[in-house]
Amino acid sequence: MSTVYSVASSLDGFVAAPADDLGWLLQFGFEPFQEHHDRFFAGVGAIAMGSTTYEWLLEHDDTWAYPDLPTWVFTTRELPVPDGADVHFVSGSVADHQDTLERAAGERDVWVVGGGLLAAQYQQAGILDELRVTVMPIALGAGAPLLPVAAPTPVFELVGTTPFVGGAVELHYRAAALPEAAPTVGA
């Protein structure tokens, strides 16, 4: 089981255009990615989601996209819950809720859906195991960053690539282990 941030990004590192616009991404359609996504999705047991992504889904989908998966939405606000959705609203540190998400996921993965800010919190807490970034052949110039961390990360290890028809490519990274503290001389 892993905690995985799987997301599409522009060439210049944005997951959404200004005003959280995803029109740039939707123009590519989903067909070239469907089989690959289905394989990934079959291994997901629970979802962690930021409130911006959650609200976008509520506004743009008539039915809840993940009816069979428990979803934790990180927010400080009260938000509606769609019919048939197993949605839990939480706030605070992602680390405070990770055990609950892992128990719900069982042997499967926790998927950090959308939201670079949420993924950055997972990375900075040291509990983000993998990044699966599908780089789309378009630059946006501005928007929501892929992984807006507050400080440099350890180097991620590239473990695979998947090219798609149309020029997109998924880069699959494993999070590097945090360096262990050096022993104190004379201790």
Side-chain angles (χ1 to χ4, degrees), residues 8-174:
S9 172
S10 65
L11 285 169
D12 52 349
F14 296 105
V15 297
D20 299 316
D21 177 24
L22 292 181
W24 68 273
L25 179 60
L26 299 176
Q27 72 179 320
F28 292 98
F30 203 67
E31 188 176 322
F33 313 99
Q34 188 68 55
E35 183 179 326
H36 187 75
H37 175 75
D38 289 349
R39 278 194 306 274
F40 165 75
F41 192 70
V44 173
I47 292 175
M49 184 180 292
S51 61
T52 301
T53 301
Y54 180 74
E55 289 178 294
W56 191 94
L57 286 170
L58 291 181
E59 184 178 327
H60 292 88
D61 285 339
D62 293 335
T63 59
W64 180 239
Y66 311 110
D68 299 327
L69 287 176
T71 301
W72 280 259
V73 178
F74 287 80
T75 185
T76 56
R77 297 173 289 131
E78 288 188 32
L79 298 168
V81 177
D83 291 338
D86 182 4
V87 174
H88 310 268
F89 298 108
V90 294
S91 61
S93 167
V94 295
D96 292 344
H97 303 284
Q98 186 65 6
D99 286 344
T100 303
L101 272 86
E102 288 178 359
R103 276 193 305 277
E107 297 295 316
R108 298 188 294 165
D109 295 335
V110 172
W111 179 19
V112 179
V113 176
L117 289 172
L118 183 63
Q121 291 174 43
Y122 269 89
Q123 191 283 321
Q124 291 172 323
I127 54 178
L128 183 64
D129 301 310
E130 297 179 29
L131 286 89
R132 290 176 167 266
V133 181
T134 301
V135 180
M136 305 304 289
I138 187 172
L140 299 179
L146 171 66
L147 196 63
V149 293
T153 68
V155 175
F156 292 94
E157 175 188 1
L158 181 66
V159 295
T161 59
T162 304
F164 297 99
V165 172
V169 63
E170 181 191 69
L171 305 174
H172 182 184
Y173 292 99
R174 183 174 300 124

